[in-house]
Amino acid sequence: MTSTQDAATAAAAPGTFAPAPGDEWWRTAVIYQIYPRSFADSDGDGIGDLPGITARLDSLADLGVDAIWLSPFMVSPQKDAGYDVADYCDVDPIFGTLADFDAMLARAHGLGIRVIVDLVPNHSSDQHTWFQQALASPPGSPERARYIFRDGRGENGDLPPNNWESVFGGPMWDRVTEPDGTPGQWYLHIFDSSQPDFDWTNPEVREQFRGVLRFWLDRGVDGFRIDVAHGLIKKDGLPDYTPPADGDSMGGDDDDVPYWGQPGVHDVWRDWHEVAAEYDGDRALCAEAWLPTPDKTALWVRPDELHQAFNFPYLTTEWDAAPLRTIITESLRAFPAVGAPSTWVLSNHDVIRHASRLALSGESPQGEGIGPLSAAQPIPELGLRRARAASTVMLALPGSAYVYQGEELGLPEAVDIPDSARQDPTWFRTKHEKYGRDGCRVPIPWEASAPAFGFNATGASWLPQPASWAEHARDVESRDPESTLSLYRQLLAERRAHGLGSATFTWLDGFPATVLAFRVDDVTVIANLGDSVVALPEGRILIASEGFTGRELPADTAVWLVAD
Ligand code: NOJ
């Protein structure tokens, strides 16, 4: 049989899924998310920076990642940790300079690591020149037309133009004072009031962002992670909308949310696709689009749109074999059906770290975070055990995978951050009702006995590090063959050696319903999500998420098996 016939036969068999064709690097890459504030701090001010990243890149080469994605480091007043950009084409002084960026990029490329930067097109900072010009200009002016300004409702225009609620809590509108001192129009902000939304129906906005893309592509970046890639276009007329009470604030659980996933957004991505295609080297565009199903998410990665879209339906699936089997199946069908890989992810800077999230004592809706008074509290040992098993499953799945800094150390969510130290706008805008995301953003530990666990030399840290993180420090875990770091190193090395990113996937029958069992080319993966042990099939254990003896797989454990 030819390889094409092989692939066709495989695709036809029930429970078998072949990847979409293509050998671009992003189809199979393991991409490590760096959250620059919390990765490594070279100048000791308590906030991580670009020279800090450069100095620590060796450890990522050692881990075996293909690429890094940096959360925003552009000029910003930091009202939303850099997702409020005041100048898209320069580096914020707290992170360094453009020269520091170039040095970081050169070092990464020298190590064979590609670099993706974060671009925030839905909104700017209120300190962006354009927004300042809009405030200084009259209603109806071209300066206002770059953002979404509207007159208010009610007799004196003192009610917001509609009932939309910000993702961070409170109304999605703020009222401005006109240059003549009178109460004026309202502007839309899906997030914080310091993050006004652009009007993407305005050609000037589109042109500005083509320029921003080219600025970074010319510098040599390998791609972009695109913030809120489902939010840019709002429904005509901005009709009132009330989300379902138990809905996820970032994703439309309804079919037609007037500010999420509006069809016009796809034109923007077709345009960006063309800009990226002007450059050599398969520059990649990755969507942050919170959509409820793989089928909907796949619309963002059709052949002429973006290349990757985070598989958030997978991230939000609980640790339970049946729903995981469903979501993996749907993903392996939906993404290749449009020619794309699935882009697996378990943690990032917006969600509770999966070493805590997968074992909570109760419900914790996405985006709310956890803190000392939350009803749901982590069960640490069980959480870590499940996280190791979950990562052992994820890193066997065909497609690309993102790893969030610190998950390779098994870091839990930092729950006991004092109220006075919290910084997430969610915490403030919900009047302390929701803790938000600080707990997954705490600076990561490098050396157990150094100040700030080696994050810097002074011991300063913009969010306090739990004392218990000494045991997770990279130097400690490097020496321990049983550590989570050693597990991740093994997973990445064997994933590469066995070509799992482009493997054909087949579900295996004959296991209890609480087990995930599948083959990816020559590797068999068995994960036990139930309470009782499970007899392993034949094969040598290549990797186990936990140490055990014999052929009975314990609960919350996953293995990779190969033929002897
Ligand atoms: C998604 C980012 O990941 C998040 O951190 C940010 O707060 C919002 N978008 C707004 O930019």
Side-chain angles (χ1 to χ4, degrees):
M1 265 207 284
T2 64
S3 58
T4 328
Q5 281 169 321
D6 265 347
T9 315
T16 293
F17 303 90
D23 57 7
E24 298 93 334
W25 66 274
W26 44 263
R27 289 184 179 275
T28 57
V30 175
I31 302 176
Y32 183 95
Q33 180 189 356
I34 292 182
Y35 194 64
R37 309 183 126 248
S38 301
F39 187 70
D41 172 22
S42 72
D43 61 9
D45 65 354
I47 300 178
D49 48 44
L50 292 170
I53 295 171
T54 309
R56 294 288 194 181
L57 283 175
D58 284 355
S59 60
L60 300 185
D62 174 63
L63 177 60
V65 305
D66 300 299
I68 51 177
W69 147 38
L70 269 63
S71 282
F73 50 81
M74 293 83 185
V75 176
S76 160
Q78 304 292 321
K79 292 280 175 52
D80 184 22
Y83 284 93
D84 49 321
V85 178
D87 181 350
Y88 289 88
C89 297
D90 205 351
V91 171
D92 195 284
I94 63 170
F95 296 121
T97 62
L98 274 175
D100 292 331
F101 176 79
D102 292 340
M104 188 280 305
L105 186 68
R107 177 73 187 137
H109 282 168
L111 290 166
I113 297 175
R114 291 187 163 88
V115 177
I116 288 178
V117 298
D118 212 313
L119 198 49
V120 187
N122 179 68
H123 47 268
S124 69
S125 157
D126 59 0
Q127 299 306 305
H128 191 287
T129 322
W130 275 10
F131 194 70
Q132 290 299 311
Q133 288 170 352
L135 290 182
S137 304
S141 61
E143 287 81 4
R144 290 235 167 147
R146 295 164 179 153
Y147 293 89
I148 303 177
F149 279 87
R150 293 289 184 275
D151 293 334
R153 293 203 267 208
E155 213 177 309
N156 302 312
D158 46 12
L159 296 173
N162 68 22
N163 72 343
W164 298 357
E165 290 280 316
S166 148
V167 168
F168 292 158
M172 222 188 254
W173 297 91
D174 259 50
R175 193 171 195 186
V176 302
T177 302
E178 298 299 350
D180 65 5
T182 56
Q185 286 194 300
W186 298 71
Y187 67 91
L188 181 81
H189 53 88
I190 289 188
F191 296 94
D192 188 50
S193 54
S194 63
Q195 294 167 295
D197 281 42
F198 284 115
D199 183 347
W200 272 87
T201 63
N202 183 337
E204 213 186 337
V205 171
R206 295 190 182 217
E207 192 49 37
Q208 163 177 268
F209 274 94
R210 281 186 210 109
V212 173
L213 288 170
R214 291 198 176 98
F215 176 85
W216 293 104
L217 289 167
D218 287 340
R219 287 198 110 76
V221 304
D222 299 284
F224 299 91
R225 176 266 191 191
I226 302 164
D227 193 61
V228 204
H230 58 322
L232 277 58
I233 299 288
K234 282 74 181 175
K235 196 181 181 73
D236 274 350
L238 311 179
D240 275 353
Y241 170 73
T242 306
D246 56 353
D248 169 354
S249 57
M250 272 297 276
D253 292 331
D254 280 357
D255 268 344
D256 191 15
V257 183
Y259 41 88
W260 295 140
Q262 289 295 306
V265 81
H266 296 287
D267 282 347
V268 179
W269 308 137
R270 291 188 189 103
D271 187 32
W272 285 31
H273 182 100
E274 285 181 16
V275 175
E278 291 165 10
Y279 290 78
D280 61 6
D282 297 326
R283 314 290 174 111
L285 302 170
C286 176
E288 189 228 10
W290 289 83
L291 297 151
T293 63
D295 278 316
K296 287 193 177 168
T297 313
L299 299 175
W300 270 249
V301 288
R302 287 175 289 188
D304 57 349
E305 296 197 35
L306 305 177
H307 305 98
Q308 301 182 319
F310 291 113
N311 191 337
F312 291 132
Y314 172 72
L315 180 151
T316 49
T317 301
E318 71 257 52
W319 183 242
D320 184 347
L324 278 171
R325 200 175 296 113
T326 303
I327 205 74
I328 292 171
T329 302
E330 284 179 10
S331 304
L332 293 175
R333 179 187 48 69
F335 292 102
V338 295
S342 173
T343 300
W344 310 102
V345 59
L346 285 167
S347 279
N348 65 30
H349 65 291
D350 290 329
V351 302
I352 298 172
R353 283 184 175 278
H354 68 281
S356 297
R357 192 183 72 235
L358 297 181
L360 289 173
S361 61
E363 293 289 307
S364 174
Q366 164 56 17
E368 299 205 353
I370 43 175
L373 301 179
S374 298
Q377 289 295 320
I379 309 169
E381 221 172 277
L382 183 62
L384 179 57
R385 189 177 177 94
R386 288 183 175 172
R388 290 169 58 118
S391 301
T392 301
V393 170
M394 177 180 82
L395 290 166
L397 294 172
S400 175
Y402 279 69
V403 169
Y404 176 49
Q405 66 177 41
E407 74 171 72
E408 80 280 19
L409 304 172
L411 287 187
E413 186 83 352
V415 177
D416 289 316
I417 298 175
D419 288 358
S420 58
R422 292 196 176 269
Q423 310 218 6
D424 187 346
T426 308
W427 169 249
F428 299 104
R429 288 188 64 91
T430 62
K431 304 195 169 49
H432 302 187
E433 192 193 311
K434 296 182 184 174
Y435 284 104
R437 305 157 296 174
D438 290 321
C440 61
R441 298 176 171 183
V442 171
I444 61 171
W446 295 88
E447 285 112 27
S449 37
F453 300 130
F455 171 59
N456 57 25
T458 60
S461 177
W462 71 281
L463 285 172
Q465 298 165 299
S468 60
W469 281 18
E471 71 191 62
H472 292 288
R474 195 167 303 255
D475 63 342
V476 172
E477 294 209 9
S478 289
R479 294 191 293 266
D480 174 4
E482 307 291 315
S483 70
T484 305
L485 180 60
S486 297
L487 173 66
Y488 267 72
R489 277 186 186 146
Q490 256 185 305
L491 290 167
L492 295 195
E494 297 296 351
R495 174 186 165 88
R496 188 185 295 238
H498 291 264
L500 300 189
S502 55
T504 291
F505 175 106
T506 305
W507 286 116
L508 299 177
D509 295 330
F511 291 87
T514 49
V515 167
L516 296 174
F518 55 89
R519 269 184 86 78
V520 268
D521 284 357
D522 63 339
V523 175
T524 296
V525 178
I526 314 286
N528 182 3
L529 286 75
D531 297 330
S532 337
V533 295
V534 170
L536 285 177
E538 282 182 359
R540 174 169 63 84
I541 297 176
L542 183 64
I543 302 182
S545 64
E546 299 293 332
F548 64 98
T549 49
R551 300 291 297 178
E552 295 202 314
L553 185 65
D556 295 311
T557 308
V559 287
W560 292 10
L561 303 170
V562 287
D564 275 322

